[in-house]
Amino acid sequence: MGLTGCCVAEEERRVRANAREYNEKFQYANNCIKTSKYNIVTFLPVNLFEQFQEVANTYFLFLLILQLIPQISSLSWFTTIVPLVLVLTITAVKDATDDYFRHKSDNQVNNRQSQVLIGGVLRQEQWMNVRVGDIIKLENNQFVAADLLLLSSSEPHGLCYIETTELDGETNMKVRQAIPITAELGDTSQLARFDGEVICEPPNNKLDKFGGTLYWKENKYPLSNQNMLLRGCVLRNTEWCFGLVIFAGPDTKLMQNSGRTKFKRTSIDRLMNTLVLWIFGFLVCMGVILAIGNAIWEHEVGICFQIYLPWDEGVHSAFFSGFLSFWSYIIILNTVVPISLYVSVEVIRLGHSYFINWDKKMYCAKRRTPAEARTTTLNEELGQVEYIFSDKTGTLTQNIMVFSKCSVNGHSYGDVQDMVGPKAELGEKPEPVDFSFNPLADPRFQFWDPSLLEAVKLGDLHVHEFFRLLSLCHTVMSEEKSEGELLYKAQSPDEGALVTAARNFGFVFRSRTPKTITVHELGQAITYQLLAILDFNNIRKRMSVIIRSPEGKIRLYCKGADTILLERLHPVNQDLTSITTDHLNEYAGEGLRTLVLAYRDLEESYYKDWSKRLHRAGSVLEAREDYLARLYDEVEHDMMLLGATAIEDKLQQGVPETIAILTLANIKIWVLTGDKQETAVNIGYSCKMLTDDMTEVFVVTGHTVLEVREELRKAREKMMDASQSVCNGFSYQEKLSSRLTSVLEAIAGEYALVINGHSLAHALEADMEVEFLETACACKAVICCRVTPLQKAQVVELVKKYKKAVTLAIGDGANDVSMIKTAHIGVGISGQEGIQAVLASDYSFSQFKFLQRLLLVHGRWSYLRMCKFLCYFFYKNFAFTMVHFWFGFFCGFSAQTVYDQYFITLYNIVYTSLPVLAMGVFDQDVPEQRSMEYPKLYEPGQLNLLFNKREFFICIAQGIYTSILMFFIPYGVFADATRDDGAQLADYQSFAVTVATSLVIVVSVQIGLDTGFWTAINHFFIWGSLAAYFAILFTMHSDGLFWMFPNQFRFVGNAQNTLAQPTVWLTIALTTVVCIVPVVAFRFLKLDLKPELSDTVRYTQLVRKKQKTQRRCMRHAGHVGSRHSGYAFSHQEGFGELIMSGKNMRLSSSALSSFAPSTSWIETLRKKKGCEGSSAGSPSGAADKTLKV
């Protein structure tokens, strides 16, 4: 067997209780966890290694080394090292701060206290000191420290109750049970003598499976997942329990499902790395050209001037002079990518992060929780998201079940009524029903339709039978802490809501024993004999109880899915079934979770015969489940319909609207949940991900590879067949002509895909993942149910692998951490399930609805601002730097600079830095309200239209064009121009001042044209920078500085003399006009002939500016009839058998406690992008349909 941590994988695990020395020889991991990336020793080398993975940082380090060589450097080394160190320091401090919080979280968890049995005595130990083989005592409401084998508990038969929120997101309790042989080990002296050995599977990430064997006293006992308590669970309603540590720390299933902390970079960062390499190649080409020119000039011309223009020491040939000139030009021309670019990018990102933190519209007053940008490196990628992967419980929903409506004998109850009778309008709710007549009513329960209570009081037999069923047909446990103070322990929140509803309407479930149930019906205590529980499971989708009343009548009560129960009713129920089905459709259309209720009276003789057969089936060893299923199916026939219930799984506020708007922004939303299929699908309808207008919802539930493959194939065939039948020949051929690699991209209709966890495990295998992704991407909505945390991460990784799209994962629990870390952007909801998701996230807030604002406002603006910033930055620096290239042809390729060296130093730091920073931080094309109203505005970011290789080359071309005019217009003017006194105007210093002044004015006018949203700060920075330029220019050319530093400031008096000449100002004006007019003309024509959506929105805004009320683009549509089943019941199989056995009965009462115009140019580009993505090896995605608001 391999050892943990070795290169050989562990094949099995051997653990002996109370034997640390024996277990230590296997070198199992201890219980200390680590989610941080660095420590004090590794921080500097690892962080620098990560930072120098950025090509730009390596590039600047290379330039710094060159500048340290005096023979080739014409610029001071400090101009590079200071900004480089500044960038590295800022990034390192940010990374260190992030990692500090991870260390803090790790220490908080590792230092939790646990009671460990050592030497027969319970000792307080930190979690990090717990070892495999230790026996731990847990108390009520404590977190489980490691993966434990449950040995014994305070409950009868070694039972204990746990909450698995951090593992699968479910808040309902689950039951675990010790094996009988260890359940009797109740005190520490017995446990200290326990020396059993467990041989089990090695560490893995399967939350729902465990296989092993306990060897003790020469016997062996099989172990399963029902005997295990996993790290991250919380002990509930159990005073204490003891467990044997099987897996610790990183080997626990929770940590096995947690992804590694990954270094995240945006697509713009990755593009920048490529562009820097291209620019460096361009720089080398320019250096080679100028070096060749230098060698030729020195060989042909320079050789003749050696007397007064000798070569530098060590230069003995024209070739070597050209070689040195090459490196000199590399240094001079390096400003095409100045390091100030990266400083500015970090400043802009920091500003965007503060805007998110300060946004009052993303502040939750109820929880006093603001939005938080936990990273500053991903802001612009928020404007490029195409796929959102969301958890369900706690993210989309509040996980609070409320009894909302019901149908009894054809009458629907629960609609809010006003005094006259018709349904009340929203906001006009009457007072809730008064349950004060019932001393046992739950004060937290509210119902708004008084007619249901009136029916109870008037003695309506159908209503009485309805609530009697709800009070009897369940597996809820009841605890009475004091007289009249009932506390229900429900395995699922659905059951708790139904039993609580019956309680408030006068049918109070009071207590139970293995064979009886006591109910207070309208104040009268009645005890029913419990004959059988026909337990719930996902195949049956129903549960039943068989009850004998005090009068001796035997009756079966059943509740379950409408799709199952309605076909098992007696034919006499036909008319009632029709009415109830209408009610069910109405409830399901509102997104409510529905159950149908029915009953059947049984003859005594029939029941006795059936009971004997049931007893015999229970003792069968093989195919026991099949025998029981047939018997259950037999008795659950010819039932009488009572009615239906409708429970609201409360969505978080604004979820349907948020999903609708994000969908209009062409963002695909996939729900990845650990919840059961029916519950997840129901929430899909509630939040409008799934609609009744969809062509079909495909459900994949195969248990084998072949079954899953076949179901996926059939789904694709149906989509293709429907598309071929709907599309006419022209439109279909037109779609195919766009070179789409898959016909699925041309489908007509809307589809959804629902897939279970066991099917997903096969679908994610290497030979089927492309088929799964192709099918899923052709669907409008995808819901993955019963998935493990690792499967969530695998789905995200699959989309990242094959689709050229930015992914975002959002969740609120520890089970979402792996998914959050895997996605390009991770968002944590600070909700009910702890802070693990928040700590692992890049952004956090308290409600799902804030995601809309984060993406459509902050994300879109961040992307827009960053793209405009980069385009302008490259433009201004190419315009600045390329002048040196042209000047090289007129200065003998001597690597002499056009400008004064102080202008070169200050150009990017002072003269042009603040205006572009202001644009990068504050600019916006449309106000935030319009960004929300017109979701289509988000699409340019998804298509990466605003900054890409094409836009980069356009900026470079404009910069080169500007540099040509900037050099040759003054050069041509100065060739023949004279001063006012008749002297020749042309001299090097005057030319340098003229070109520099022209450059500063032209780029300042350009930034004014590029700025779309003017603030006082923009005005101040633009005009202030111009003023600063002239102030510094005149200062540095002043007599005072020359007298103090004659070797440093040699341009004495030049600015005053040059700028006093009208010819110079005319030259500057001509240069500015010729540089700017083509840009203005091009933009005017583009705005007039081919406006973008943002241009149209701005025009619309100007038209509406004086209107008091603005039309909203989205109208709330009324509910339509539903055709889908609203059944959902988050319940587990096994509780019924447990109750009937009496094993879980308490011995004491103390422990069980927009409108958007069609943008054809965007659609065309999207199709082109799809073709490129497909040709790059990615599978086909979904068809991109024009979205309708």
Side-chain angles (χ1 to χ4, degrees), residues 545-564:
V545 295
I546 299 177
I547 299 292
R548 189 192 298 274
S549 69
E551 296 80 22
K553 183 186 295 185
I554 300 176
R555 177 167 286 184
L556 175 141
Y557 288 115
C558 183
K559 66 183 180 186
D562 50 354
T563 54
I564 301 296

Side-chain angles (χ1 to χ4, degrees), residues 298-330:
E298 291 289 352
H299 185 268
E300 299 292 334
V301 180
I303 194 75
C304 303
F305 298 93
Q306 287 296 303
I307 296 175
Y308 64 90
L309 197 62
W311 286 335
D312 293 335
E313 186 180 348
V315 178
H316 304 294
S317 68
F319 174 80
F320 191 65
S321 175
F323 174 76
L324 294 179
S325 179
F326 168 78
W327 295 109
S328 297
Y329 272 114
I330 290 293

